[in-house]
């Protein structure tokens, strides 16, 4: 089992690239990264989930926690995901109404800036 | 070809991935389509994660799987504190936990939570591998030659 995390800056947005499996074992690493980024002043985050192979409710909880954290600083946390099996999890849990979910990083950035 | 196994695991987070590896091979060997496989892996992970997060007192837990005859039956057995799944409320959108049972119920054909009078809970997850017409075209279930035998 593996989870790879990376991040880079694009415009004023921090892009978090997640690859692999997010579950009760690996999710704490994603939580730590999101907390660290926010603590360093990054309040506009886009989590790119295109390479996520598995996601459970622990991972959903980490993303919700990240969203609450950035909102406390008037920030945003949007997702990039086009994988039907992952999108289904967000739909079942009603989280498609909570997160902005986009098809590309650029779309996520453009949408936020247009608001 | 049916696959039946039972494994006892330490109540540690890394074991959830181990369970998924076992199940992945069992489901692939039975030609189960990607969609059913993903649902089963997710519901199993949720049940195991519940044990790991809430099964205090229990050093181990057991996963029993029976993939055969067009169905997948999983039992996740622990000796931790009992709970009443019907009393677990639906999570608010900004809650960081509490979505596991919702996912188990949505993605399985049948879920039961049985408390033992000696302590502990058995979660039983049943998934029909041919689930209506939507999966038939994907070759899910027993009508397809298992990939490992091709």
């Amino acid at each position: 089992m593996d989870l790879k995390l990376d991040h880079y800056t694009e415009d004023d947005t921090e892009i978090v690239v997640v690859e692999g499996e997010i579950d009760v074992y690996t999710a704490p690493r994603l939580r730590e990264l999101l907390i660290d980024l926010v603590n360093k002043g990054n309040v506009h985050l886009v989590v790119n989930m295109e390479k996520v192979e598995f996601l459970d409710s622990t991972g959903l909880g980490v993303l919700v926690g990240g969203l609450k954290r950035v909102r406390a600083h008037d920030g945003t946390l949007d997702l990039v995901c086009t994988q039907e099996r992952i999108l289904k999890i967000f739909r079942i849990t009603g989280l498609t109404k909570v997160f902005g979910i986009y098809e590309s990083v650029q779309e996520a950035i453009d949408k936020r800036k247009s608001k | 070809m049916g696959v039946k196994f039972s494994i006892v695991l330490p109540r540690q987070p890394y074991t959830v991935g181990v369970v998924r590896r076992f199940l992945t091979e069992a489901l692939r060997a039975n030609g189960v389509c990607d969609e059913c496989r993903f649902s089963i892996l997710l519901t199993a992970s949720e049940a195991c994660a519940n044990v790991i997060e809430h099964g205090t007192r229990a050093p181990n837990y057991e996963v029993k799987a029976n993939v055969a005859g067009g169905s997948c039956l999983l039992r996740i057995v622990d000796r931790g504190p009992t709970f009443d799944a019907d009393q677990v409320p639906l999570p608010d959108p900004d809650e960081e936990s509490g979505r596991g049972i919702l996912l188990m119920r949505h993605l399985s054909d049948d879920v039961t939570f049985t408390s033992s009078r000696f302590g502990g809970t058995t979660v039983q997850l049943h998934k029909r591998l041919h689930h209506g017409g939507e999966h038939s075209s994907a070759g899910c279930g027993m009508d397809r030659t298992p990939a490992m035998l091709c």
Side-chain angles (χ1 to χ4, degrees), chain B residues 50 54 81-90 101 105 112-116 120-121 123:
Chain B
N50 273 352
H54 305 298
T82 60
F83 73 103
D84 185 350
D86 291 333
Q87 298 300 315
V88 177
L90 287 174
I101 291 175
R105 287 190 161 136
T112 58
F113 300 84
T114 307
S115 297
S116 163
T121 303
V123 180

Side-chain angles (χ1 to χ4, degrees), chain B residues 105-127:
Chain B
R105 287 190 161 136
H106 196 98
L107 293 172
S108 299
D109 290 307
D110 187 46
V111 187
T112 58
F113 300 84
T114 307
S115 297
S116 163
R117 61 190 175 124
F118 303 110
T121 303
T122 297
V123 180
Q124 181 167 293
L125 302 162
H126 178 240
K127 178 83 174 165

Side-chain angles (χ1 to χ4, degrees), chain A residues 54-68:
Chain A
F54 182 84
L55 172 71
D56 73 358
S57 64
T58 319
L60 293 176
V62 167
L63 293 171
V64 170
L67 180 64
K68 287 162 65 176

Side-chain angles (χ1 to χ4, degrees), chain A residues 77-108:
Chain A
L77 189 156
D78 295 312
L79 308 176
V80 173
C81 182
T82 60
Q83 296 188 73
E84 183 52 35
R85 64 172 61 171
I86 303 295
L87 289 171
K88 186 175 174 180
I89 300 169
F90 284 92
R91 279 197 290 270
I92 292 169
T93 53
L95 291 175
T96 47
K97 295 174 183 171
V98 173
F99 290 101
I101 302 179
Y102 301 99
E103 294 188 355
S104 71
V105 168
Q106 195 57 54
E107 185 189 3

Side-chain angles (χ1 to χ4, degrees), chain B residues 10-135:
Chain B
R11 199 174 56 81
Q12 296 292 330
Y14 76 88
T15 60
V16 180
V18 174
V19 172
R20 285 203 301 277
R21 299 294 171 271
F22 270 92
L23 282 174
T24 295
E25 294 309 314
L27 296 168
R28 278 188 178 146
N30 280 272
V32 177
C33 74
D34 287 348
E35 189 172 343
C36 278
R37 195 167 69 226
F38 191 80
S39 295
I40 292 165
L41 295 179
L42 181 53
T43 55
S45 292
E46 296 295 347
C48 294
N50 273 352
V51 172
I52 286 160
E53 291 184 328
H54 305 298
T56 52
R57 296 204 312 255
N60 301 314
Y61 68 106
E62 184 174 12
V63 177
K64 302 175 182 179
N66 189 356
V67 184
S71 78
C72 175
L73 183 64
L74 304 178
R75 289 190 184 91
I76 294 88
V77 183
D78 78 275
R79 293 283 172 257
T82 60
F83 73 103
D84 185 350
D86 291 333
Q87 298 300 315
V88 177
L90 287 174
D92 289 330
D94 61 349
E95 286 291 330
E96 295 179 35
S97 61
R99 297 180 177 85
I101 291 175
L102 172 67
L103 286 167
M104 281 188 263
R105 287 190 161 136
H106 196 98
L107 293 172
S108 299
D109 290 307
D110 187 46
V111 187
T112 58
F113 300 84
T114 307
S115 297
S116 163
R117 61 190 175 124
F118 303 110
T121 303
T122 297
V123 180
Q124 181 167 293
L125 302 162
H126 178 240
K127 178 83 174 165
R128 287 191 297 272
L129 301 178
H130 263 301
H131 188 82
E134 71 269 29
H135 292 181

